[in-house]
Amino acid sequence: MAATNGAHLLLETARDLGVEICFANPGTTELTLVDALDSVPEIRPVLGLFEGVCTGAADGYSRVSGKTALTLLHLGPGFANGIANLHNARRARSSIINLIGDHATWHLPYDAPLTSDIESLARPVSQAVIRLADAATLSADVTHAVALAMSAPGSIVTLIAPTDIMDAPAAANRSPALAAREQYRIPSPDEIADRAKAIPADADVIFLLGGSGALHEGAIRAAGRVADKIGARLLMESYPRIVDLGGDLPRLERLAYFPQDVIAQLGDATIVLVGAKTPVSYFGYEGQPSQLVSDEKLVILAEDNECGATALELLYERLKERSSSPSSPPPSARIRSNDLTPDEIVEELIVQLPEGAIISLEGSTLGGPFLRESYRAARHRVMTNTGGAIGQGLPCAVGASLGAPGARIVSLQSDGSAQYTLQSLWTMARENLPIIIVMAANHRYGILQTELKRADADLSLPAIETLTCLDNPKTDWTALAQGYGVAAIRATNSQEFAAALKRGFSHDGPLLIQAELP
């Protein structure tokens, strides 16, 4: 259907540039766009009951598919409800375009109750904020936004769409050609030769892989070849945006979380950064450094906007004549137990995880144990909470499922953080997505209690107990899930969990497993 107004033209332009999905929680100022979606069926609308579900789902979709996702949000307050997961998406360098409806330009001077400074809200999580001002330039503005969002390594762009611009007549026209977007830069052999000079030949070396371009199969295999040649260790960032793991891929050790653990883990090694940032402490702790590796121990082999695989392949070419270091012995078998613990949950996942599964991971209860052992599972991919804003795991699972149709999705989720975006369950049920949610139900804020213990705090003190315990009352996740239309099972021992997981992998649709943990 030819464009008849600004809303039609906006969506048709986005469609012509390859956009296929819109995660929406619209309101009055977005109704023209809602109407226009029926005329552009190539863009699939997906409803989220909370804006944080929409933005988190857009993040997961972009990470998994490599494509640009739209969100459709209601004015400044609606956008503000989604900012937390946009913070995570910005850290993940996801490709997202936010469409934010606004009052008609002639209505703004009257300061209606929902009027707000949208630009100021959007700027911290957006590479660019563009206010659409004229239907005549609308197609060019959208094309520019898509080019920015898709340029390596990916970014967020926010479009503010006043209702009068969306309602304005707009003649159908040919969408402008998408300008050549910035791709991952290819370092030259000379550049890699120069950078490689700083890598010592007679000292411990660690390659730290991260960012958007160094945690996929090609880069990991190249890193493995380099590591075998020089006896180096391979690490991934603590919270990778998305990483290929398992199968016959080289093992990636995870960078530790707490600063003293990072310092002990890295020792006196030279750290070669491949797409990764310099290791820093997640928080500032008295007596601990913020930057955890000194500048003289850092070597940048590839920046985040450079092709990590190429950099590693070029480095390997320089190392071909060296003799290889011996491989590590295979891991020994684990001792199983009928007690339901995080380690036992991980062991069962290792056994049952199908090839090509995608893990959406949020929370330390299952996150740490799984990433330690994930190399023993079948080939899979893992997304983590890149920015630390809580409430990412369930929405990212929604987006991942829509971005990779046919893949089995497992959401390894802590019960405290799940409360922030539990409305995701409704979208999972409505879209009948093949997602297993493993809810680590220890009924407490485990990471806060860990931090307090590190500070020698008494967890039994009334204020601390009140603010970190979630057992009065305990959340019945099976009841909540069923209320949203998601099948649910409670598991209290490893046998029950194994049976529930088996059911989940054969279930047509989402299934929540409430794993009762100590």
Side-chain angles (χ1 to χ4, degrees), residues 2 23 52 59 81 136-137 168 174 199 317 344 372 414 443 485:
F23 297 97
D59 182 14
N81 282 340
T137 60
R174 185 178 180 83
I199 302 175
E317 288 299 316
E344 190 60 38
R372 281 196 301 272
S414 289
H443 306 286

Side-chain angles (χ1 to χ4, degrees), residues 74-297:
H74 184 41
L75 291 158
F79 177 76
N81 282 340
I83 284 177
N85 276 331
L86 289 173
H87 166 78
N88 294 329
R90 181 180 69 85
R91 290 285 182 173
R93 307 307 291 266
S94 292
S95 179
I96 298 172
I97 295 177
N98 300 305
L99 301 179
I100 306 176
D102 197 10
H103 294 298
T105 52
W106 46 263
H107 188 59
L108 286 173
Y110 296 95
D111 193 27
L114 279 169
T115 301
S116 63
D117 184 353
I118 299 175
E119 282 86 350
S120 292
L121 289 169
R123 199 168 292 116
V125 293
S126 306
Q127 179 179 343
V129 180
I130 302 170
R131 178 174 284 273
L132 303 175
D134 190 333
T137 60
L138 192 151
S139 190
D141 288 338
V142 174
T143 301
H144 177 55
V146 173
L148 284 176
M150 294 178 67
S151 290
S155 64
I156 299 171
V157 178
T158 296
L159 294 178
I160 302 171
T163 57
D164 53 327
I165 304 301
M166 294 298 93
D167 292 339
N173 67 345
R174 185 178 180 83
S175 299
L178 182 63
R181 68 180 189 268
E182 180 186 345
Q183 302 289 342
Y184 285 99
R185 181 180 176 276
I186 305 298
S188 70
D190 288 343
E191 286 176 307
I192 296 303
D194 187 58
R195 298 171 191 178
K197 292 176 184 176
I199 302 175
D202 55 355
D204 291 340
V205 175
I206 291 173
F207 284 83
L208 179 59
L209 279 56
S212 303
L215 289 172
H216 58 82
E217 177 181 357
I220 294 169
R221 290 197 187 281
R225 289 191 288 272
V226 171
D228 285 344
K229 279 291 181 185
I230 64 175
R233 289 160 59 197
L234 298 182
L235 270 67
M236 60 179 160
E237 290 177 314
S238 303
Y239 294 95
R241 67 181 299 274
I242 187 162
V243 55
D244 290 340
L245 296 171
D248 64 346
L249 286 176
R251 180 183 179 181
L252 295 181
E253 186 181 338
R254 183 196 185 194
L255 186 67
Y257 176 82
F258 289 114
Q260 64 269 43
D261 295 335
V262 173
I263 292 169
Q265 181 184 32
L266 301 183
D268 196 41
T270 294
I271 311 303
V272 181
L273 302 178
V274 187
K277 294 181 179 295
T278 299
V280 298
S281 179
Y282 216 74
F283 296 99
Y285 298 95
E286 290 292 336
Q288 296 285 353
S290 292
Q291 181 171 316
L292 303 177
V293 180
S294 62
D295 289 337
E296 58 268 22
K297 287 291 185 178

